[in-house]
Amino acid sequence: MADTKQAIVQGVDALTLNGKVDSDSVETAADAQAQEATTTDDVVDPWNVTSTNDAGVDYDKLIKRFGSSKIDDELIARFEKVSGKPAHHFIRRGIFFSHRDLHTILTLREQGKPFYLYTGRGPSAGSLHMGHLIPFAMTKWLQETFDVPLVIQLTDDEKALWKDLKVEEAIKLARENAKDIVAMGFDVNKTFIFNNLEFMGKCPAMYQNVIRIQKCVTFNQVKGIFGFGDSDIIGKIGFPAAQAAPALSSTFPFIFGNKKMHCLIPCAIDQDPYFRMTRDVAPRLGFPKCALIHSTFFPALQGAKTKMSASDQNSAVFLTDTPKQIKNKINKYAFSGGRTTVEEHRALGGIPDIDVAYQLLKFFLEDDEKLEEVRVAYSKGEMLTGEIKKLAIETCTPIVEQHQAARKLITDEVLDKYFEIRPLTFGS
């Protein structure tokens, strides 16, 4: 932590890249110190998410801190008008709650101009958990709604640098995770999946863009943005450019040719620092700034103070879990917003905002009316903790079972089609 604080102090010029203030820049050193003094509750960066509040991260404060914009009713109404269909329940319920330049993407759509989607995953375990489904489910819906191409980056290089993983192990995990992603039903004709440790050797354009980006960001700047310390390995310092590169369409000449296309990135908001950096660099390289749509964090079973973790089996419902394991995990570990006794609960009601079973329903129960019935009944004490956990189990178990059945059909041959360097077909 001392290294991080020092890095922020040293990175003053980082936060106004090239001496030029940008509305997307990370807060200045003084701002960061003020934040630390006034909001010590929440820690949100690409590697850590913690809160001292049982309800989890204060997302309104996070929007102000990161300088993004809230997805409000007016934007949702415009989204529905442009797309011609109701907004996804992730958007309606504030699960995707923040954005950068989403209006620009909607304007492009109105004008009949193209854009593409970019999202990704850092493969650190052999299986995804239910929290990992959120950005991919949103991305799939956006792809189907707008009929646009999608690139999915697997940052196996990042995990080899940050985790105790050999390069070969990271590559293997990337393929395993890719099978979980493909099992969600992405259209192979519109979707390209790649892992950095192999793709960069096959596509010179990506490495060339990585170098272009690295030339635009100084050591002090990357320390200021990401909190790197003097003892961090040099691979970490150079890595952010690899996550930034797919936001430049020329990274994929086999898909986009020499077109400089706009990009929309659905991701959890902890990934935003990478793309604040990218948004500063892109115009200097002649590309449009990437747009983003940010999600909240999927809470750990133990409560919303942390997010589900791939490294803690008991913090999450994994896509490899059996129905019995799902039932046991939710019943045993899911943090309750209920009261100490049944009598007290009947009298005072439960607290849905801190109840993990209710949060599972908020993410995965698609019926808005049913969800509101549950919220009201639980708040009034008419529904008990055991009953809401039972409903969460009944909601989550079929999703996991359906995914497992789909994943069994993903052979290496099927997977290779998604990894194949090729043109994509899409409406725009």
Side-chain angles (χ1 to χ4, degrees):
M1 182 61 77
D3 283 346
T4 301
K5 292 178 182 176
Q6 185 62 25
I8 292 173
V9 172
Q10 290 174 339
V12 175
D13 68 320
L15 312 172
T16 54
L17 295 181
N18 304 293
K20 190 176 179 182
V21 176
D22 189 291
S23 61
D24 297 315
S25 296
V26 186
E27 62 267 19
T28 65
D31 291 336
Q33 289 171 331
Q35 286 286 349
E36 187 176 354
T38 59
T39 57
T40 56
D41 314 21
D42 299 338
V43 175
V44 177
D45 62 42
W47 307 282
N48 302 284
V49 176
T50 59
S51 175
T52 59
N53 189 330
D54 284 337
V57 171
D58 186 325
Y59 292 105
D60 287 334
K61 286 183 179 178
L62 199 59
I63 285 174
K64 292 179 181 178
R65 176 182 156 194
F66 279 10
S68 59
S69 301
K70 187 172 183 177
I71 296 177
D72 56 20
D73 291 341
E74 183 180 347
L75 180 55
I76 293 173
R78 186 183 180 209
F79 190 100
E80 292 183 334
K81 180 181 178 182
V82 172
S83 68
K85 62 193 298 187
H88 194 283
H89 72 272
F90 287 169
I91 296 175
R92 296 197 307 271
R93 297 175 188 174
I95 291 169
F96 275 82
F97 71 104
S98 165
H99 75 99
R100 294 186 188 276
D101 286 349
L102 185 55
H103 279 293
T104 299
I105 297 297
L106 295 177
T107 298
L108 288 171
R109 182 66 176 182
E110 287 174 327
Q111 296 172 346
K113 295 179 180 178
F115 68 92
Y116 69 101
L117 294 166
Y118 159 39
T119 193
R121 156 87 182 129
S124 59
S127 169
L128 303 188
H129 58 60
M130 292 194 76
H132 293 137
L133 297 179
I134 305 306
F136 290 111
M138 186 76 252
T139 301
K140 183 173 181 288
W141 185 84
L142 288 167
Q143 183 186 43
E144 292 170 349
T145 296
F146 294 113
D147 191 14
V148 291
L150 163 66
V151 296
I152 299 176
Q153 180 186 54
L154 297 168
T155 55
D156 46 3
D157 50 347
E158 176 198 16
K159 294 307 178 182
L161 291 166
W162 263 266
K163 302 285 186 180
D164 185 21
L165 284 176
K166 294 180 180 178
V167 166
E168 296 78 10
E169 292 171 333
I171 292 172
K172 183 178 178 180
L173 288 177
R175 284 189 65 85
E176 289 302 307
N177 282 194
K179 289 181 179 179
D180 281 339
I181 295 167
V182 169
M184 296 184 68
F186 287 100
D187 186 338
V188 68
N189 295 313
K190 301 175 186 178
T191 306
F192 174 62
I193 302 177
F194 64 100
N195 61 311
N196 288 349
L197 285 173
E198 294 183 315
F199 179 61
M200 260 196 265
K202 300 174 182 177
C203 181
M206 179 173 182
Y207 186 60
Q208 291 165 14
N209 275 344
V210 168
I211 294 299
R212 291 184 180 106
I213 293 165
Q214 288 176 342
K215 286 183 69 176
C216 292
V217 185
T218 69
F219 181 40
N220 259 3
Q221 288 167 352
V222 82
K223 285 200 298 183
I225 295 167
F226 297 100
F228 296 141
D230 292 340
S231 60
D232 279 311
I233 59 174
I234 60 173
K236 291 183 179 182
I237 296 158
F239 168 75
Q243 186 159 324
L248 307 182
S249 56
S250 63
T251 296
F252 310 100
F254 50 93
I255 301 174
F256 305 117
N258 59 4
K259 295 178 182 176
K260 294 184 176 180
M261 286 176 55
H262 284 263
C263 170
L264 173 61
I265 305 171
C267 63
I269 197 167
D270 60 341
Q271 298 300 301
D272 189 71
Y274 286 109
F275 301 114
R276 293 204 295 276
M277 181 194 79
T278 308
R279 283 168 59 84
D280 186 275
V281 170
R284 296 170 57 205
L285 297 176
F287 289 86
K289 292 183 177 184
C290 56
L292 293 101
I293 179 170
H294 301 121
S295 75
T296 60
F297 303 113
F298 199 76
L301 290 176
Q302 289 77 6
K305 290 181 179 180
T306 59
K307 63 177 182 176
M308 280 194 174
S309 171
S311 58
D312 183 352
Q313 285 290 321
N314 292 326
S315 77
V317 174
F318 283 82
L319 299 181
T320 51
D321 284 346
T322 65
K324 183 177 180 180
Q325 286 174 317
I326 295 170
K327 180 179 180 180
N328 289 342
K329 282 184 177 183
I330 292 176
N331 280 332
K332 184 175 181 179
Y333 297 111
F335 186 83
S336 173
R339 305 295 177 170
T340 307
T341 65
V342 172
E343 293 75 18
E344 187 180 355
H345 185 87
R346 294 289 192 200
L348 300 176
I351 309 172
D353 287 347
I354 67 172
D355 191 280
V356 169
Y358 176 78
Q359 295 305 316
L360 288 169
L361 295 174
K362 184 177 178 180
F363 278 85
F364 292 112
L365 182 62
E366 294 188 15
D367 187 329
D368 288 340
E369 290 185 9
K370 177 65 174 177
L371 182 68
E372 179 61 11
E373 288 175 9
V374 170
R375 188 193 67 79
V376 171
Y378 194 61
S379 299
K380 289 181 176 180
E382 296 169 358
M383 175 178 274
L384 299 175
T385 294
E387 294 171 319
I388 198 170
K389 285 188 174 183
K390 181 175 182 291
L391 182 57
I393 293 164
E394 291 171 350
T395 301
C396 293
T397 301
I399 294 172
V400 174
E401 288 182 317
Q402 289 166 18
H403 186 274
Q404 289 171 354
R407 195 186 190 282
K408 287 180 181 178
L409 303 177
I410 310 301
T411 63
D412 286 335
E413 291 74 21
V414 170
L415 190 65
D416 288 342
K417 292 179 181 178
Y418 286 86
F419 278 77
E420 180 184 343
I421 295 176
R422 70 205 188 281
L424 299 179
T425 57
F426 43 90
S428 58

